[in-house]
Amino acid sequence: KSIFPIRDDDSIFVSLASFRDALLCDTLKGAFDQAKHPDKLYIGAVVQNCFGLNPYAGEPGVQCRTGAQVVGKDKRGHDRTEVSDAPADRNGIAEFCGSPEHKKYCDAGQIRVLYLHENESLGPAMARYYASKLWGGESYFMQVDSHLEFYAHWDDLYTNELKAAKSFPKSILSSYPPGFQVENGGILENDPSPGARLCTCEFSTSDVEEKIIRINTGVGYRGDEEQPTQVPFIAAGFFFAPAGFLVDVPFDPYMPWCFMGEEIMLSMRAWTHGWDIYAPRKNWIAHQYRPGRMGLPKFWGSVGRLFGRPGPGFSNILQKRMIKRVKHLVGYNDCCSREKLTEDGDELVLMDVEHYGFGDVRSREEYLSWANIDVDKKKCHSIKWCNNGDLL
């Protein structure tokens, strides 16, 4: 049950999980400056930063480090990377609240923040769990990353798009926003691009991801659709829903160190609780996608340093174990039935799993059939109704 009554005033809570992000301030500025109703916008930010040496009295601090930066080529022509010392991270919250144009939002209590040292980071799924706990009764819940640009009146546009969905108020908007490379202070200019539907998936072949289901885009909108159409998947980097979603589908606090797996779990849990997922017809935000060659810090680097195991290897070991929780719920019987987990000594990953599983409106088996996913054969098949935009 919610500890707050859900307000009926079209207010929006934005969940931001930020890991050592220099664009956090620009993201906040863009969100408020481009909103039609900035007075109805509330932020819940989890800021995971390196605060440097001697950050405050009585705290010795740590030497901050970069991500793996490309510094040249080796003899075989492959990128050669190096991790170096770095200054303390920028505090995007302090920058935003110190801006004369934006201080009023902080003074009004519209910015809620939880600070964590980077070595306390447990990955994006856990940061988003923490951020969800900063919600205070706002009408809508929006989850995004902390490196975005916003189109003018984005708040009004997404709210109206959500209401246009046939299943509203049990509807969710979600997509992978388009990318940007040239930073523009959080402002998305030019005309919004057509939305893309999340209509495809695959079982990952990466050793790190252990055959977890990864989602992706399919056929986009043509531009003449009268209503948004349904998709089977939620993207963790952007979704927008009535706040009742938090009551039905509370975030799972038992997914530390997991970088993959949260999207298929969100999708299945929401759908089985009776929520329908829609792709917005237009993109009113853009996202900075961050390939490794940018050399930005990643949480798995911090995990490695914390445990004295530099690099991503140790974080990957932890993820492989914890992701069994996701696999158990999705139905990977070859590895992750309760009996198999108990036999392997991994039953701890099922802690309180009954509170963060599926609903009783629709079943897991119905979802897998609807999304055309064969877990036993590790195969995602074509989802024609999604690509064709058949389901309103």
Side-chain angles (χ1 to χ4, degrees):
K1 294 182 179 179
S2 169
I3 62 172
F4 297 107
I6 299 174
R7 304 202 299 271
D8 186 20
D9 59 1
D10 278 350
S11 53
I12 299 172
F13 174 85
V14 181
S15 164
L16 284 174
S18 172
F19 183 81
R20 304 189 63 187
D21 200 335
L23 293 186
L24 174 57
C25 179
D26 283 351
T27 297
L28 293 172
K29 288 181 177 179
F32 280 92
D33 292 348
Q34 295 287 81
K36 185 175 182 179
H37 304 289
D39 57 311
K40 295 183 178 181
L41 186 60
Y42 295 80
I43 305 294
V46 175
V47 178
Q48 304 156 100
N49 269 7
C50 179
F51 298 98
L53 298 168
N54 303 310
Y56 44 83
E59 170 60 53
V62 297
Q63 174 60 58
C64 300
R65 303 281 279 169
T66 66
Q69 298 176 315
V70 177
V71 295
K73 300 285 186 180
D74 63 20
K75 293 180 179 180
R76 302 176 64 182
H78 299 149
D79 287 340
R80 184 165 56 85
T81 61
E82 186 176 282
V83 176
S84 307
D85 288 349
D89 296 327
R90 292 168 54 184
N91 185 335
I93 300 294
E95 291 176 359
F96 178 80
C97 292
S99 163
E101 298 85 1
H102 304 99
K103 181 177 181 294
K104 59 185 177 183
Y105 302 119
C106 303
D107 292 344
Q110 290 175 249
I111 307 295
R112 306 162 192 155
V113 59
L114 171 66
Y115 286 105
L116 295 174
H117 289 282
E118 62 152 334
N119 60 11
E120 296 172 318
S121 174
L122 295 173
M126 288 301 298
R128 289 164 179 153
Y129 164 76
Y130 297 142
S132 74
K133 296 304 180 183
L134 299 175
W135 173 77
E138 289 75 27
S139 305
Y140 297 101
F141 177 86
M142 177 180 179
Q143 179 171 288
V144 290
D145 290 334
S146 56
H147 29 272
L148 297 182
E149 293 180 347
F150 294 82
Y151 186 73
H153 296 176
W154 64 270
D155 53 335
D156 207 42
L157 291 164
Y158 277 124
T159 301
N160 290 335
E161 184 76 346
L162 188 68
K163 292 177 179 179
K166 184 178 180 180
S167 299
F168 182 81
K170 295 282 281 189
S171 54
I172 302 164
L173 298 177
S174 191
S175 68
Y176 285 151
F180 70 87
Q181 293 182 328
V182 179
E183 298 169 15
N184 194 36
I187 306 301
L188 179 59
E189 298 177 332
N190 303 318
D191 293 333
S193 58
R197 301 183 182 98
L198 297 172
C199 290
T200 63
C201 71
E202 65 177 356
F203 285 79
S204 176
T205 57
S206 163
D207 290 340
V208 175
E209 295 168 6
E210 291 280 285
K211 296 183 173 62
I212 200 64
I213 297 172
R214 299 195 65 166
I215 68 175
N216 213 326
T217 56
V219 177
Y221 285 105
R222 299 184 305 272
D224 58 353
E225 292 83 0
E226 295 183 359
Q227 287 178 275
T229 59
Q230 286 192 46
V231 296
F233 303 119
I234 295 175
F238 166 66
F239 72 89
F240 188 99
F245 173 88
L246 292 175
V247 178
D248 288 350
V249 192
F251 280 76
D252 188 343
Y254 295 105
M255 290 183 63
W257 304 299
C258 287
F259 189 71
M260 303 303 302
E262 60 178 320
E263 292 181 324
I264 189 62
M265 276 309 307
L266 277 174
S267 305
M268 295 179 72
R269 291 181 63 209
W271 195 83
T272 58
H273 277 92
W275 291 79
D276 290 331
I277 311 160
Y278 292 82
R281 288 169 289 176
K282 295 286 185 181
N283 294 306
W284 295 300
I285 59 174
H287 177 277
Q288 186 189 64
Y289 291 94
R290 298 178 156 188
R293 65 178 178 272
M294 291 182 71
L296 298 174
K298 306 293 186 182
F299 89 91
W300 48 79
S302 299
V303 172
R305 286 192 292 275
L306 176 64
F307 287 96
R309 305 275 292 275
F314 189 66
S315 178
N316 292 341
I317 292 171
L318 295 172
Q319 175 177 255
K320 285 182 179 182
R321 191 164 190 183
M322 296 310 304
I323 211 167
K324 292 181 179 181
R325 180 180 181 88
V326 175
K327 292 182 173 183
H328 169 78
L329 287 166
V330 174
Y332 288 63
N333 292 319
D334 55 338
C335 71
C336 301
S337 66
R338 183 175 289 274
E339 293 75 19
K340 179 66 170 148
L341 291 173
T342 300
E343 177 185 325
D344 293 342
D346 285 330
E347 65 273 19
L348 187 63
V349 303
L350 300 184
M351 177 74 72
D352 291 341
V353 72
E354 65 275 11
H355 299 306
Y356 302 100
F358 301 130
D360 56 11
V361 178
R362 297 177 283 212
S363 71
R364 173 180 67 184
E365 290 70 27
E366 286 175 314
Y367 175 87
L368 293 172
S369 174
W370 178 68
N372 216 2
I373 298 172
D374 188 330
V375 177
D376 292 335
K377 294 182 179 179
K378 306 295 183 290
K379 182 70 175 178
C380 291
H381 298 283
S382 174
I383 313 172
K384 293 182 179 179
W385 61 261
C386 182
N387 283 305
N388 293 339
D390 292 337
L391 193 56
L392 296 177

